[in-house]
Amino acid sequence: MNVLILGGGLVGCETLKQLRIAGIDPVLADLAPDHTSIESAVGSRCEVERVDIGDRTQLAAVVKKHQIDSVVNSAAVLTKRADLSPLAAVQTNVGGVANLLEMLRLGDLRRIVSASSTTVTYSLFDRPLEAPIPEDFLMRVVSQHPGSIYATTKLMGEMLGLAYRDRYSVEAIFLRLGAVIGRWPSGPNSIPSRLFEVFRLAIDQKTTAVVDDDPLIVWSGIEEFVDVRDAARANVCALLSDRPLQAVYNIANGEAISIDDVIAAFREFHPELSVELRATANGALAGFEYRRPAPSDLQMAQRELGFVPMFTLRDSVKAYLDG
């Protein structure tokens, strides 16, 4: 199996490490590779290509050069940047997926595994919802349309994938990831990691952790997360599994986590941690309006991919502190 990983960030690099353990040496590609961080994360023995997933010609050239048959797509324009550059988000998050699906249709690829997000369900949280939340949720497509540009693009990618699967029998798998926890060498690049970094710096500097300038990193009620090691392992499971039937899967750590739970997990290792929460939230993570009513249902990921989360919030906090 020759694998291309699109997106040389937190999840992409961890996926590369885990594929190597499985005996597969993938090629890594990114629009603007951070070579220093990539080398720090995975070591110097890594072939890195510069590729824009939205440019099908570039993508096809790399696939042909390395005789790629399978792709893990973790490239994305995330929530904050998507709000600032919505067209870039559509070109990358939707156009990039469309390019991969078209390559599947034409026989240039065998399988893709693409990152989606549990934020596609956030607009449903104002009304009674089945718990735990299944992949196949009920949605009013107008009044409950996704609540952000980012979530909209992720749901669009899923819908395109399902349409291509049904019409052309291609192998396209979408993993709906909870908010990813992990420490990136050049600084936090996920929403929960930005919160974790506030706590880590306060511990290192022996100061009070003050959360007052980034309302996107706080939430009310519960949230769900996924350790980057589990997110990467889900990618590997999806690549290696027999052809899954559902095609869209929830991937999270299975815990319902409050912000007090996060603080308590840090204090388990550093009881002296002092926290002052000035930023407030009335809804879910990333500024979404409504509170999460329940975690996502992980049964289909276990049944069809063989994925069961290994890492708890406590494990993620320890790994983050250990660096």
Side-chain angles (χ1 to χ4, degrees), residues 153-267:
T153 62
K154 286 302 181 182
L155 189 58
M156 289 171 70
E158 289 182 14
M159 295 300 102
L160 269 178
L162 291 170
Y164 266 74
R165 181 202 64 175
D166 294 346
R167 185 164 291 271
Y168 307 113
S169 300
V170 300
E171 296 188 27
I173 301 168
F174 293 81
L175 303 183
R176 245 180 233 159
L177 302 179
V180 177
I181 300 171
R183 191 165 166 188
W184 184 240
S186 61
N189 63 356
S190 71
I191 287 178
S193 298
R194 299 211 304 262
L195 177 65
F196 278 34
E197 188 68 3
V198 172
F199 297 156
R200 187 192 69 81
L201 288 175
I203 290 165
D204 286 353
Q205 298 168 4
K206 297 180 171 54
T207 58
T208 295
V210 179
V211 182
D212 65 352
D213 61 348
D214 193 347
L216 297 186
I217 67 176
V218 296
W219 66 97
S220 58
I222 61 168
E223 249 312 338
E224 69 178 4
F225 301 95
V226 61
D227 189 286
V228 65
R229 294 166 291 182
D230 274 333
R233 195 164 54 83
N235 280 332
V236 176
C237 288
L239 270 181
L240 301 181
S241 64
D242 293 335
R243 187 169 182 174
L245 298 177
Q246 182 163 280
V248 178
Y249 302 91
N250 294 327
I251 304 294
N253 68 3
E255 298 179 87
I257 297 169
S258 70
I259 199 164
D260 289 336
D261 292 331
V262 175
I263 295 169
F266 272 88
R267 283 178 175 155

Side-chain angles (χ1 to χ4, degrees), residues 39-309:
E39 184 173 332
S40 177
V42 304
S44 57
R45 187 182 61 84
C46 176
E47 189 155 13
V48 181
E49 297 276 5
R50 184 181 293 270
V51 174
D52 179 357
I53 187 177
D55 186 326
R56 190 172 155 211
T57 301
Q58 282 187 27
L59 197 56
V62 170
V63 166
K64 183 176 181 180
K65 174 182 175 181
H66 296 281
Q67 297 182 305
I68 299 298
D69 56 69
S70 300
V71 171
V72 174
N73 175 33
S74 63
V77 174
L78 301 177
T79 302
K80 198 169 185 178
R81 189 179 153 218
D83 287 341
L84 296 172
S85 304
L87 183 57
V90 172
Q91 290 169 335
T92 296
N93 300 356
V94 183
V97 168
N99 284 337
L100 293 172
L101 291 168
E102 191 63 5
M103 294 174 76
L104 282 173
R105 183 181 73 86
L106 296 174
D108 299 326
L109 294 171
R110 180 186 68 85
R111 176 177 290 188
I112 68 166
V113 177
S114 191
S116 187
S117 168
T118 57
T119 60
V120 301
T121 65
Y122 279 17
S123 62
L124 314 179
F125 293 171
D126 65 325
R127 302 177 189 180
L129 191 63
E130 187 177 347
I133 301 168
E135 290 89 351
D136 196 15
F137 55 81
L138 294 174
M139 179 182 190
R140 293 176 171 87
V141 295
V142 175
S143 62
Q144 292 182 308
H145 65 275
S148 71
I149 297 294
Y150 172 70
T152 300
T153 62
K154 286 302 181 182
L155 189 58
M156 289 171 70
E158 289 182 14
M159 295 300 102
L160 269 178
L162 291 170
Y164 266 74
R165 181 202 64 175
D166 294 346
R167 185 164 291 271
Y168 307 113
S169 300
V170 300
E171 296 188 27
I173 301 168
F174 293 81
L175 303 183
R176 245 180 233 159
L177 302 179
V180 177
I181 300 171
R183 191 165 166 188
W184 184 240
S186 61
N189 63 356
S190 71
I191 287 178
S193 298
R194 299 211 304 262
L195 177 65
F196 278 34
E197 188 68 3
V198 172
F199 297 156
R200 187 192 69 81
L201 288 175
I203 290 165
D204 286 353
Q205 298 168 4
K206 297 180 171 54
T207 58
T208 295
V210 179
V211 182
D212 65 352
D213 61 348
D214 193 347
L216 297 186
I217 67 176
V218 296
W219 66 97
S220 58
I222 61 168
E223 249 312 338
E224 69 178 4
F225 301 95
V226 61
D227 189 286
V228 65
R229 294 166 291 182
D230 274 333
R233 195 164 54 83
N235 280 332
V236 176
C237 288
L239 270 181
L240 301 181
S241 64
D242 293 335
R243 187 169 182 174
L245 298 177
Q246 182 163 280
V248 178
Y249 302 91
N250 294 327
I251 304 294
N253 68 3
E255 298 179 87
I257 297 169
S258 70
I259 199 164
D260 289 336
D261 292 331
V262 175
I263 295 169
F266 272 88
R267 283 178 175 155
E268 183 173 346
F269 301 100
H270 290 276
E272 77 283 2
L273 174 64
S274 172
V275 176
E276 184 178 346
L277 289 175
R278 295 177 186 168
T280 59
N282 294 317
L285 199 66
F288 284 90
E289 186 176 359
Y290 309 116
R291 291 187 180 193
R292 170 178 286 279
S296 295
D297 191 337
L298 308 181
Q299 291 184 80
M300 288 304 294
Q302 179 178 355
R303 186 177 308 148
E304 296 196 357
L305 305 182
F307 170 80
V308 177

